[in-house]
Amino acid sequence: MDADRGQGTTEYLGLVAVVGAIVLAIAGTALGTDVDHELICQVERIVAGDGCGDRGNDAGGPKGGPDAPSPEDDPFQPAKCLLSSDETKDTVVVQILFIKISSSEQVKVQQWSDGSVTLERMSTKGGGVTGSISASIPGLKNWGGGASLGGSYVKSSGSGGQWMFNTHKSDDHQKDLEQNLKDAKEFAEFLKAAEKCRSRPPGAHSTELGMICGHHAKEKKPDVDPEKAPDVDITKSTTDVSGDVSFGGKYAKDDKKLKSLKDDIAAEIKKANPKASSAELAAKVKKAQDTLVGSAPDTKGVGGASTQGLSGAMSKDVVVLRTKTGPDAGKVTFVYTFAMSGSAGVGEKSEGSHMQQIAVTYDAASYDREVKEKAPHHPEKVKIVTSEESGNGPGINVSGSVNTGPVTIDVGAGGGKTHTRLHTESAEVALTDDEDRAAVEEWIRGRGGNPAERSVPSPHDLTGKSAATAGPVERLLHDKSQISSLDYDVNTDWWNASLGIGFGLSAGSVGVGFKLFGVDVTHEKKTQTITGNPTYAGAPQVDGSRPWKPFTKCSDTKPIPT
């Protein structure tokens, strides 16, 4: 299993490395930071065997068989884990010239091993720039094969909420999960119906119809907490850089009017020179045609078609979670995420992604007061998460175009299903004394020994012997954090449709085109389910290592199919 995982890691990182180079070349963005540099170094190290300093560690997850099951009261065993996640996302992108405007709606239902269920809704809007450049393949007269590079840079922000369903609590987590999931689904239907009522167009009797609609929506609301207000308020800001390579060609047909004119010129030349040889006639015809017609081609373009073969993206997220109920009430958590992803292939697509995330939790009231007073912050918890995802499945994106002079009308569509394997590791520690809190805050702000902007430790690395050069945060995580390793099966169904009006200019075999207007709609449904044998790292041993043990608080409860 470890060998298979290592092979998948190499394949997807090779894919990401290639696509990442394309993205950076197209976008020319200043998005990179030292953290990004570290991740790219890891890509180079695993794919090529070297890079920016080999740390002698692979990203394949924990090695070796776990020890005997640990007692339930082991403080190093996390209290719960994510069993499954069902996510639906709809995205609409409007392009006007080089300006790109996007909006998306996302709903996510997550099942947890302690029997609780969370429902999350997010709405985001953003804007940025986009462009493309293309080159044709010479030598093909009527079907000009070619390729194009496209790229975009978008910044977006969003808001939403998360509802916790855990009113059913007993010693039977499996039964609790079934009942809490039922409540979550009912509440999701209520939110959907309420949103439909709010989006009713204005008109005669709109108020009365809205009241009736709202009454029927409330009938869908389950008789459980939470109320309408979410347990967690979420705000999010994202920077995305993406690029793609498309392969295809343009279709041309004979220009009948031009051909007729050239035939008439040839006939007149032959009529005026009855005694000329074939070579002399050919020379005179060519000279006359060049003088009267010029270099106009015998064919004219009428459209084209292309297929996307390679695409990639890099993104940075900053998410703020303000918790209002439950054990974390009054806390604010900042989640910083960097991700790279890519896909390649036509018909059978291969996909890969790498994600690294840091989450830091503070007392919300204290944090807000410290911001006003410009005083140092005091974090209460820090968590590091890394993930790697790779796989493939049938999927294709195709487009066709029709030319009307320099203006092009583009129509595109695509869809598919992908099956991927997701490996994720996390390290989380509660900060109980001022020295640890100060060390983490210095690390997050890029100060002190081994700051976060220079290096983010991998949870897998923390289970080995602590290096002599380890910084204070690395030593803290190694000695005190709860570390877990989980694997998931991920199935994604998606479809896409687009319409655009473009304008193109060409010089030789190179053309530059842009959209005057375009709209692109994408729907994606993703199901993530835990698989394999969840493990966690036990207490540090005499030699400094932390053995992997079965994560029983995660494996005792099974996800419910939805």
Side-chain angles (χ1 to χ4, degrees):
M1 181 176 177
D2 290 331
D4 293 340
R5 181 183 297 155
Q7 181 180 3
T9 299
T10 302
E11 291 173 351
Y12 99 81
L13 283 175
L15 172 64
V16 170
V18 173
V19 174
I22 293 172
V23 173
L24 289 174
I26 296 171
T29 176
L31 191 64
T33 68
D34 291 332
V35 173
D36 305 347
H37 177 69
E38 172 68 11
L39 293 177
I40 293 172
C41 287
Q42 295 301 312
V43 170
E44 294 175 352
R45 180 180 61 76
I46 294 174
V47 174
D50 53 18
C52 312
D54 194 339
R55 297 193 296 176
N57 142 72
D58 65 71
K63 297 294 189 290
D67 291 350
S70 61
E72 285 296 303
D73 59 355
D74 185 348
F76 286 96
Q77 180 169 192
K80 64 177 182 179
C81 74
L82 177 65
L83 296 178
S84 73
S85 175
D86 291 285
E87 177 183 335
T88 302
K89 185 176 182 180
D90 293 286
T91 305
V92 178
V93 178
V94 176
Q95 183 177 331
I96 303 174
L97 296 177
F98 296 104
I99 305 301
K100 195 172 185 179
I101 303 169
S102 68
S103 65
S104 67
E105 296 287 338
Q106 182 179 3
V107 178
K108 184 188 298 183
V109 178
Q110 296 180 311
Q111 301 179 37
W112 298 86
S113 60
D114 64 351
S116 63
V117 176
T118 55
L119 168 65
E120 182 179 305
R121 289 175 63 93
M122 281 291 299
S123 175
T124 61
K125 297 182 184 298
V129 295
T130 185
S132 65
I133 184 171
S134 62
S136 62
I137 299 175
L140 299 178
K141 184 176 181 181
N142 288 342
W143 177 264
S148 66
L149 291 175
S152 66
Y153 176 87
V154 176
K155 297 197 73 170
S156 59
S157 61
S159 61
Q162 183 185 89
W163 291 261
M164 171 69 76
F165 295 86
N166 62 351
T167 55
H168 301 282
K169 297 179 181 179
S170 69
D171 293 333
D172 188 345
H173 292 332
Q174 191 69 49
K175 185 176 180 180
D176 294 341
L177 183 62
E178 293 175 3
Q179 294 173 327
N180 288 324
L181 180 60
K182 180 181 178 182
D183 291 340
K185 289 181 176 180
E186 289 181 7
F187 193 77
E189 290 300 316
F190 159 69
L191 290 178
K192 189 186 300 183
E195 179 64 27
K196 184 177 180 180
C197 294
R198 285 193 294 269
S199 61
R200 289 182 63 85
H205 307 294
S206 178
T207 302
E208 293 86 348
L209 292 174
M211 292 176 62
I212 297 173
C213 181
H215 173 73
H216 288 293
K218 287 182 179 179
E219 290 182 347
K220 298 178 180 289
K221 186 176 179 180
D223 187 24
V224 296
D225 286 333
E227 295 299 331
K228 190 174 181 180
D231 297 278
V232 181
D233 286 329
I234 305 174
T235 57
K236 177 181 180 180
S237 62
T238 305
T239 302
D240 290 298
V241 182
S242 62
D244 63 77
V245 181
S246 298
F247 303 95
K250 55 188 178 180
Y251 179 74
K253 69 177 183 180
D254 290 339
D255 189 331
K256 294 182 179 179
K257 292 183 179 180
L258 182 62
K259 186 176 184 301
S260 176
L261 175 59
K262 287 186 174 183
D263 289 344
D264 290 343
I265 293 172
E268 289 296 326
I269 293 297
K270 291 178 181 178
K271 184 177 179 180
N273 300 274
K275 297 182 179 182
S277 65
S278 298
E280 291 174 335
L281 281 175
K284 290 179 180 293
V285 168
K286 184 178 184 307
K287 182 177 180 180
Q289 288 177 341
D290 290 344
T291 301
L292 297 174
V293 178
S295 58
D298 293 338
T299 60
K300 59 181 179 181
V302 295
S306 65
T307 300
Q308 189 180 84
L310 184 69
S311 65
M314 293 191 300
S315 66
K316 281 187 175 181
D317 285 346
V318 180
V319 178
V320 183
L321 309 172
R322 286 187 176 267
T323 307
K324 299 186 291 185
T325 64
D328 289 330
K331 307 296 183 184
V332 59
T333 300
F334 296 86
V335 184
Y336 309 94
T337 306
F338 174 79
M340 298 172 63
S341 63
S343 67
V346 177
E348 183 77 11
K349 281 185 170 292
S350 297
E351 296 188 350
S353 69
H354 179 94
M355 184 276 291
Q356 196 156 36
Q357 184 181 86
I358 303 172
V360 192
T361 301
Y362 304 84
D363 177 78
S366 298
Y367 184 89
D368 293 340
R369 184 181 65 254
E370 290 160 359
V371 169
K372 291 181 181 179
E373 297 174 355
K374 297 183 179 180
H377 301 302
H378 299 81
E380 297 184 350
K381 184 169 61 179
V382 64
K383 183 176 183 179
I384 293 173
V385 181
T386 64
S387 72
E388 299 170 352
E389 184 176 358
S390 62
N392 55 50
I396 191 169
N397 254 344
V398 297
S399 64
S401 61
V402 177
N403 295 340
T404 306
V407 177
T408 303
I409 300 175
D410 298 306
V411 179
K417 298 182 178 181
T418 57
H419 174 75
T420 56
R421 297 298 298 270
L422 174 66
H423 176 70
T424 181
E425 297 174 0
S426 66
E428 180 177 355
V429 61
L431 307 174
T432 56
D433 60 62
D434 291 339
E435 184 178 350
D436 289 343
R437 291 174 177 176
V440 169
E441 183 65 14
E442 290 286 296
W443 178 70
I444 290 296
R445 306 298 168 184
R447 303 185 293 265
N450 201 23
E453 68 176 27
R454 203 169 66 227
S455 176
V456 178
S458 163
H460 179 67
D461 291 348
L462 297 171
T463 61
K465 299 177 182 179
S466 184
T469 56
V473 172
E474 245 182 307
R475 289 194 294 270
L476 168 67
L477 292 169
H478 174 275
D479 295 342
K480 299 180 181 180
S481 69
Q482 294 178 329
I483 302 174
S484 62
S485 174
L486 306 171
D487 291 290
Y488 297 89
D489 281 334
V490 183
N491 292 292
T492 305
D493 292 351
W494 62 275
W495 59 261
N496 169 270
S498 63
L499 173 66
I501 301 174
F503 184 85
L505 299 174
S506 62
S509 63
V510 178
V512 178
F514 57 88
K515 285 185 179 179
L516 300 173
F517 172 81
V519 59
D520 185 286
V521 180
T522 302
H523 173 84
E524 183 179 87
K525 181 173 177 55
K526 180 178 292 187
T527 302
Q528 174 182 322
T529 307
I530 196 166
T531 186
N533 299 309
T535 57
Y536 76 96
Q541 304 298 295
V542 176
D543 64 355
S545 65
R546 298 186 58 179
W548 291 95
K549 301 181 178 183
F551 191 169
T552 55
K553 290 183 180 179
C554 181
S555 57
D556 286 349
T557 309
K558 305 302 179 185
I560 300 170
T562 57

